[in-house]
Amino acid sequence: MCNLYTLRLSAAELAEHFGRVEAAASNAGEEVYPGAPGLVIREDDGRRIMQSMTWGFPLRLKTMPPTAKPKPVNNIADLAKPMWKGLAAKPQWRCLIPLTAFAEAEGPKGAKTRTWFSVVDQPVFAWAGLWRDSAEWGPVYSGVMTDCNEAIRPVHDRMPVLLHADEWDQWLHGSYDDALTFQARCFPDHLVAMERTSEPWVKRKTFRESPQLI
């Protein structure tokens, strides 16, 4: 499960990297947490748009009191599940999530640290995502997950569905079967760099909801 990632490039640098991107105002931070704003790239009528959205689809459990805040579903475990299939089958609801690195927690309970993963020789890369408009938080997005490769296996058994640059258009425009193929494939081990750190996993109190994966 991915519950933290960074994006340390400016809007201008992102527009140059992803090409033909129309930038919009953003309040996203360099570190992105579930339930917080992040940047996504989507297409609308042939235009590629960079937009700030909330990371996580709002989920209200039956056991929650009516006044409770929804929980953000920020990871997508299975595109074939009913919650996701309708969106995944329609290219207009697919997006690219730009990031410079993502983190997993490693270590004993109460003393977990951040282990960061990035793509070798890539200052920014893309994670396959879905987005929609919500009544609770406006535009929201979530990232598609898959089984980990060997580079990530020492830390976690799942990883984001990472896209090569020549796959962006196929993710944004391809068929539902194409989307399922991306979730089933394994990203090359040799392209993933790992950096273990002494940074504590929990650094601040901006987010204390339990993130969800469905």
Side-chain angles (χ1 to χ4, degrees):
M1 185 183 297
C2 179
N3 294 324
L4 168 63
Y5 70 87
T6 58
L7 181 58
R8 303 192 187 280
L9 273 71
S10 68
E13 289 170 320
L14 287 172
E16 181 178 355
H17 184 84
F18 285 93
R20 312 188 317 277
V21 175
E22 298 179 17
S26 170
N27 58 345
E30 288 189 352
E31 291 190 349
V32 185
Y33 300 83
L39 283 174
V40 305
I41 295 168
R42 64 178 182 87
E43 290 203 353
D44 181 25
D45 197 23
R47 299 176 301 133
R48 192 169 285 180
I49 300 169
M50 184 164 57
Q51 182 176 351
S52 179
M53 301 183 184
T54 297
W55 185 21
F57 282 35
L59 174 67
R60 189 174 293 281
L61 302 173
K62 292 180 180 179
T63 56
M64 296 169 61
T67 56
K69 292 172 57 178
K71 294 181 177 294
V73 181
N74 56 294
N75 289 171
I76 301 168
D78 186 355
L79 288 172
K81 283 192 173 182
M83 178 175 178
W84 305 113
K85 184 175 181 180
L87 292 172
K90 299 177 181 178
Q92 66 264 36
W93 300 117
R94 298 188 206 142
C95 63
L96 306 175
I97 305 169
L99 63 164
T100 52
F102 63 93
E104 295 291 354
E106 189 174 18
K109 185 176 181 180
K112 291 185 181 296
T113 56
R114 298 178 176 191
T115 296
W116 291 95
F117 296 94
S118 58
V119 175
V120 175
D121 294 329
Q122 294 295 318
V124 63
F125 50 99
W127 178 10
L130 299 178
W131 77 281
R132 70 171 173 86
D133 285 312
S134 73
E136 297 89 345
W137 301 331
V140 295
Y141 69 99
S142 190
V144 184
M145 302 295 288
T146 187
D147 293 335
C148 72
N149 61 17
E150 293 305 313
I152 291 174
R153 192 173 304 281
V155 179
H156 207 281
D157 61 357
R158 302 286 286 171
M159 68 177 290
V161 172
L162 305 181
L163 302 171
H164 301 288
D166 60 3
E167 295 173 334
W168 297 342
D169 284 341
Q170 187 178 6
W171 172 254
L172 292 173
H173 301 289
S175 66
Y176 176 61
D177 285 341
D178 289 335
L180 294 179
T181 297
F182 279 121
Q183 188 167 41
R185 71 98 186 268
C186 191
F187 196 76
D189 302 336
H190 70 280
L191 294 182
V192 175
M194 178 173 67
E195 180 188 3
R196 286 187 165 102
T197 74
S198 59
E199 297 175 89
W201 176 251
V202 178
K203 278 190 171 182
R204 56 181 188 174
K205 299 180 180 180
T206 55
F207 176 69
R208 287 295 181 269
E209 297 285 357
S210 298
Q212 303 288 314
L213 184 149
I214 292 182

